[in-house]
Amino acid sequence: MNDAEPIFHTTASRRSLLKHAAAGSLALLSATVGGCVPATDASQTDLVWGRRGQSSGRFLKPRAITIDRRDQLYIVDTTGRIQVFDRDGNWLREWRTPETKNGRPTGLAIQFGDSPDHDLLLVADTHYYRMLVFSLDGKRLPEREIGGTAGHNPGEFAFVTEAVADTNGCYYIGEYGDSDRIQKFDPDGRFITQWGGTGREVEKFVRPQSLAIANDVLWVADACNHRIQRYDISGDEPRWMDVWGEQGIEPGQFHYPYDLVVLDDGGVLVCEYGNQRIQRLTADGKPLAIWGSPGFEIGQLYQPWGMVVDSYKQMHVLDSNNHRVQRAWLPS
């Protein structure tokens, strides 16, 4: 087996083996999750792939993941490599971000164009205070980039966490550090507005780590405030909608929510770096189900940073400090 190949596949004929391997994970999860929210059986995991290393198909603490409309996964790790895989974990291609001495990216997102061939990859180049832009085959597009200067003024950044685009082509870029804010830019990269600032109050942030847009709503994983905030972005200025969540280990509580995915039913998946689990919740924060628990076995996680959901309604979870990806059915 070469380095690019997945190291573990499960099939229907191996389901019983997977259940046996996950038994310890499920027992731990049942013991640590209170309330009446169901804990999803770890046997929902049907694929685990990746291992520690620097060759193609291996990872060193992968920190961000996104998915295109062809179900190809884009993953960046602490080497600064962006590797691309199909949904089964087969390595397709890779390239590197231009600089890594100061640090590596912590956010990836797809900007959808008129066709798949015109889609772009947005990279939160965290420690270089900018949003990088690549074609999906890895060509850098410097004319589309925003930022590059550290500072507090419009168009300047602290540590960039995430960059996403709405259906009008406007960009929303989150940052943490001295600013803890979100800046909005027009399709040509011109500054429009900003909001946030460091704080515990509503409409303030402490590390807005992940952004997601669905139906003119911007979702913000306010990571170090252990909560989710939402904004209506249908108008010229963002309008705060609601906030939910608090620090804790119970269903509906969070411990460093680092990523989120808005589902087709209007609900959301939240990836918790601190609680080392995935929660499924309604749009207003009612907990529905939980998948994952701390550990190294199938269905367990070690400080996960992110996740995506593919067209088959399966989630791919970036099991960061286990240097791997786990694919599972949505918790329900």
Side-chain angles (χ1 to χ4, degrees), residues 277-290:
R277 65 186 181 184
I278 307 298
Q279 284 200 70
R280 184 173 185 172
L281 307 101
T282 62
D284 58 359
K286 178 183 177 182
L288 298 174
I290 291 172

Side-chain angles (χ1 to χ4, degrees), residues 79-80 96-105 125 127-128 130 132 140:
T79 68
R96 290 184 179 271
T97 53
E99 300 173 272
T100 59
K101 182 179 179 180
N102 293 346
R104 287 78 174 182
D125 198 10
H127 300 274
Y128 289 91
R130 63 190 176 184
L132 297 174
R140 185 182 175 188

Side-chain angles (χ1 to χ4, degrees), residues 235-303:
D236 293 335
E237 293 288 331
R239 181 178 62 84
W240 181 82
M241 293 173 57
D242 56 13
V243 59
W244 38 267
E246 61 182 0
Q247 187 171 11
I249 64 172
E250 297 299 319
Q253 297 178 330
F254 304 113
H255 193 44
Y256 299 108
Y258 264 22
D259 201 7
L260 56 82
V261 174
V262 182
L263 301 174
D264 291 341
D265 64 5
V268 64
L269 294 179
V270 177
C271 175
E272 297 178 69
Y273 177 90
N275 281 331
Q276 301 175 112
R277 65 186 181 184
I278 307 298
Q279 284 200 70
R280 184 173 185 172
L281 307 101
T282 62
D284 58 359
K286 178 183 177 182
L288 298 174
I290 291 172
W291 178 89
S293 62
F296 312 101
E297 304 301 325
I298 298 166
Q300 295 182 325
L301 302 169
Y302 184 14
Q303 296 177 341

Side-chain angles (χ1 to χ4, degrees), residues 112-138:
F112 295 104
D114 296 334
S115 69
D117 292 335
H118 294 102
D119 293 346
L120 300 173
L121 179 69
L122 309 181
V123 179
D125 198 10
T126 308
H127 300 274
Y128 289 91
Y129 325 111
R130 63 190 176 184
M131 176 191 78
L132 297 174
V133 183
F134 294 91
S135 64
L136 297 191
D137 59 3

